[in-house]
Amino acid sequence: MSKDLGDTDLGRLREQLERLSRLIRQQGFEDGLNPAQWEALRYISRANRFSNSPGALAQYLGSTKGTVSQTILSLEKKGLLEKLQSAADARVVLLALTSAGTEMLAKDPLSSLSADIGELSGKTARRLAKGIVEILQGQIKRQQQSEFGGCLDCRHWRDRSGEDQFSHCMLFDAQLAKDELAKLCLYHLQR
């Protein structure tokens, strides 16, 4: 237990986080989409080429494959998402945003949350970020979920930019361009 907060304060903080979560979720019913569809669009826009599959999306959202399949189907019908065949393996389905999907994300209802966080002082914003990361890591560990993260803090990443202007993923034995390094990866820190 935090030495700075008593049981009453912790309970109140938990309730405030729950209310904030509900308010954020309520915003997810905009522009003809539901919260799961917004979450899917956000994830696909940030997933790397090793993690833009329906299975990885299901793991990230903590949903069943059936639920995610329905979300994907709905986003395809709306013209926001498309399924692609992997060049490396024709059995593998990859997901990509269409230009309409990218345009829809520009209207993301969570932009207001980003604006609110942007209004915090530097010190408060840094503490919030640190606290949220620690809480999220605790929940991920407790629920035995995949972490998802970017290359720069992954054990499989090697900076080889001095050799060939690319970084390298040791897990997939693949070159990584600069714009890939911050993308989400299902295999972050695994194996």
Side-chain angles (χ1 to χ4, degrees), residues 12 107 123 162:
R12 187 162 183 247
K107 300 187 280 185
K123 186 176 184 180

Side-chain angles (χ1 to χ4, degrees), residues 54-166:
L57 175 60
Q59 284 187 51
Y60 186 80
L61 297 179
S63 295
T64 65
K65 289 180 182 178
T67 299
V68 167
S69 179
Q70 291 302 311
T71 298
I72 291 168
L73 183 63
S74 177
L75 291 170
E76 278 184 296
K77 286 180 181 176
K78 294 174 189 238
L80 303 175
L81 190 70
E82 62 183 335
K83 289 181 184 173
L84 306 171
Q85 198 172 39
S86 168
D89 186 344
R91 298 169 296 171
V92 176
V93 172
L94 303 175
L95 303 172
L97 294 181
T98 62
S99 57
T102 301
E103 288 175 24
M104 181 65 81
L105 265 180
K107 300 187 280 185
D108 188 344
L110 282 190
S111 297
S112 64
L113 180 61
S114 297
D116 291 342
I117 293 169
E119 293 293 318
L120 298 174
S121 71
K123 186 176 184 180
T124 301
R126 285 189 299 277
R127 285 182 175 171
L128 175 64
K130 185 176 189 271
I132 293 292
V133 166
E134 290 175 9
I135 292 167
L136 179 60
Q137 287 175 338
Q139 288 294 317
I140 286 169
K141 185 176 181 181
R142 191 173 296 106
Q143 295 179 30
Q144 299 178 351
Q145 298 288 323
S146 297
E147 185 169 321
F148 288 87
C151 296
L152 297 179
D153 62 346
C154 183
R155 72 180 63 147
H156 306 297
W157 176 70
R158 299 294 182 272
D159 183 8
R160 294 197 175 150
S161 56
E163 298 172 24
D164 58 14
Q165 301 303 311
F166 287 92

Side-chain angles (χ1 to χ4, degrees), residues 46-48 149-152 177-185:
R46 296 183 54 225
N48 70 14
C151 296
L152 297 179
K178 273 188 180 182
D179 65 341
E180 292 182 278
L181 300 181
K183 296 223 175 223
L184 292 176
C185 184

